Amino acid sequence: MVYKTKGVCSSSIQFEVENGKVFNVQFQGGCNGNTKGLASLVEGMEVSEVISRLEGIRCGFKQTSCPDQLAKALKATL
């Protein structure tokens, strides 16, 4: 799935969900090290757990963040 992000530096998130787990997360743009780290941390994690941990995280003064956008993307797949 490809999710077009809103309100963050990254323009989109590509990921796969298989048997309720998250795989192959890739952010287009954004802070390279942070997005790679985030993708690595959620690899193989249950979708509901990722949403629970990341939803609502903000980036500085922004109302959202790349982690929050990943949670929104995963919610859209449910």
Side-chain angles (χ1 to χ4, degrees):
M1 176 171 187
V2 177
Y3 180 83
K4 180 143 176 61
T5 59
K6 297 176 184 131
V8 294
C9 298
S10 174
S11 61
S12 65
I13 308 168
Q14 185 175 349
F15 60 93
E16 297 173 20
V17 174
E18 188 175 311
N19 297 322
K21 294 186 179 186
V22 180
F23 297 98
N24 302 318
V25 176
Q26 295 180 336
F27 288 82
Q28 299 304 312
C31 302
N32 190 39
N34 290 339
T35 57
K36 283 183 180 175
L38 176 60
S40 180
L41 287 171
V42 302
E43 182 72 16
M45 191 180 286
E46 294 283 340
V47 170
S48 59
E49 183 69 16
V50 175
I51 293 168
S52 164
R53 290 176 182 236
L54 302 182
E55 188 172 38
I57 292 176
R58 295 172 62 162
C59 183
F61 61 88
K62 297 177 182 178
Q63 295 297 312
T64 188
S65 66
C66 287
D68 182 55
Q69 288 295 296
L70 178 56
K72 289 180 186 320
L74 292 170
K75 277 184 125 176
T77 67
L78 296 179

